[in-house]
Amino acid sequence: LLGESGGGSVPAGGSLTLSCAAAGRGFSEAAMGWFRQVPGKQRSFVATISNLGATPFYADSVKGRFTISRDNSKNTLYLQMNNLNPEDTAVYYCAARRVATIGVRASLYDFWGQGIQVTVSS
């Protein structure tokens, strides 16, 4: 079970940090990812990280502005988002794989959070 928090509304140029708390066992064996979705479009990849926090990988659109990280002792995944722009407005989802290696396709993920809204105003 995954649950996102930390969303909200910010002006362009602002920052937010999303958290994703994982319940149950196995978090430290699972690669994790962040995706986002706007109405009428498919869910798109944002960032992913392997089970021990190595090999973070980002979508080009967020590279240099977003940072994915995790704390396995707290069963929590994070997404630090800086220099936000209106194009970042979306519902953000965290997701978990049953394996340790990263993935960029949504179809590779086995578990999903309920999503949280991020709105960036111009």
Side-chain angles (χ1 to χ4, degrees), residues 58-67 80 82-83:
Y58 301 91
D60 287 343
S61 59
V62 306
K63 201 174 297 182
R65 300 187 299 122
F66 290 12
T67 302
Q80 172 68 42
N82 297 326
N83 194 22

Side-chain angles (χ1 to χ4, degrees), residues 34-70:
W34 287 100
F35 291 77
R36 64 188 182 186
Q37 189 170 22
V38 298
K41 294 191 175 181
Q42 289 188 335
R43 199 165 294 188
S44 63
F45 167 73
V46 175
T48 180
I49 192 167
S50 62
N51 66 317
L52 297 181
T55 59
F57 186 77
Y58 301 91
D60 287 343
S61 59
V62 306
K63 201 174 297 182
R65 300 187 299 122
F66 290 12
T67 302
I68 188 172
S69 62
R70 64 191 296 162

